[in-house]
Amino acid sequence: MNEDKLEKLLWSIAIPGFGQLLNGKVIKGTILIILEFLINTNSNLNSLIMLSFNGKINEAIQVTDFQWLLFYPCVYVFAMCDAVKEAQGDNPPFFYLPFVVGAYLGTLGIFYSKTLTFFGILLGPVFLGIAFFVSGIMLGTFCKYLITSREKV
């Protein structure tokens, strides 16, 4: 990944839509920033994060509006993927696959976060969503590797 793509990715991780603004896509960036704040506010994401990082998982689950939070991984990851795609430089084949699988599994992590435990520990929407998202990035990267290595043969 070149420096321009990395910069846009990192700004999109900070706030979805910032990468698009840096790419000159003002309308798309503005829409993503508005969606970020809309979903964040309506899902109570900041309270959820604060409670989760303080070990109050059950309280975090209680304040969460899951109908809104389930939109978050896809909007967040779309903003990252789009910022990388639009940045200067070529995109390798299937570069989007880790993003797509990460968004899908991150959403599933949130979906099951009220009940799924690991070794008897309830992780909640923040930590289970992140765990599933990272697993999706790794799985998507592995799938991309398998697909592109077959093309070279």
Side-chain angles (χ1 to χ4, degrees), residues 27-94:
I27 293 173
K28 189 188 297 184
T30 303
I31 290 169
L32 286 167
I33 291 168
I34 291 169
L35 281 172
E36 155 69 23
F37 283 104
L38 184 67
I39 295 168
N40 186 314
T41 302
N42 286 304
S43 67
N44 298 317
L45 184 58
N46 289 342
S47 297
L48 165 64
I49 291 169
M50 217 167 40
L51 289 165
S52 294
F53 274 88
N54 283 297
K56 300 176 182 177
I57 302 300
N58 287 322
E59 288 179 49
I61 290 170
Q62 294 303 313
V63 301
T64 303
D65 185 331
F66 284 90
Q67 296 298 319
W68 278 97
L69 188 61
L70 286 167
F71 284 108
Y72 196 75
C74 291
V75 170
Y76 190 77
V77 176
F78 171 79
M80 290 189 291
C81 182
D82 182 70
V84 169
K85 181 184 85 171
E86 298 289 333
Q88 295 176 0
D90 293 332
N91 294 309
F94 302 100

Side-chain angles (χ1 to χ4, degrees), residues 4-5 7-12 17-21 23 28 32 77-88 91 95:
D4 188 56
K5 290 185 179 296
E7 176 189 9
K8 305 310 174 26
L9 173 64
L10 293 175
W11 276 110
S12 289
F18 279 12
Q20 285 72 16
L21 294 178
N23 282 329
K28 189 188 297 184
L32 286 167
V77 176
F78 171 79
M80 290 189 291
C81 182
D82 182 70
V84 169
K85 181 184 85 171
E86 298 289 333
Q88 295 176 0
N91 294 309
F95 85 96

Side-chain angles (χ1 to χ4, degrees), residues 99-134:
F99 292 104
V100 172
V101 179
Y104 177 71
L105 288 184
T107 302
L108 279 179
I110 291 170
F111 188 82
Y112 289 109
S113 65
K114 286 182 178 182
T115 57
L116 186 62
T117 62
F118 284 100
F119 305 107
I121 300 170
L122 184 64
L123 297 177
V126 170
F127 296 124
L128 195 63
I130 290 171
F132 273 50
F133 169 71
V134 171

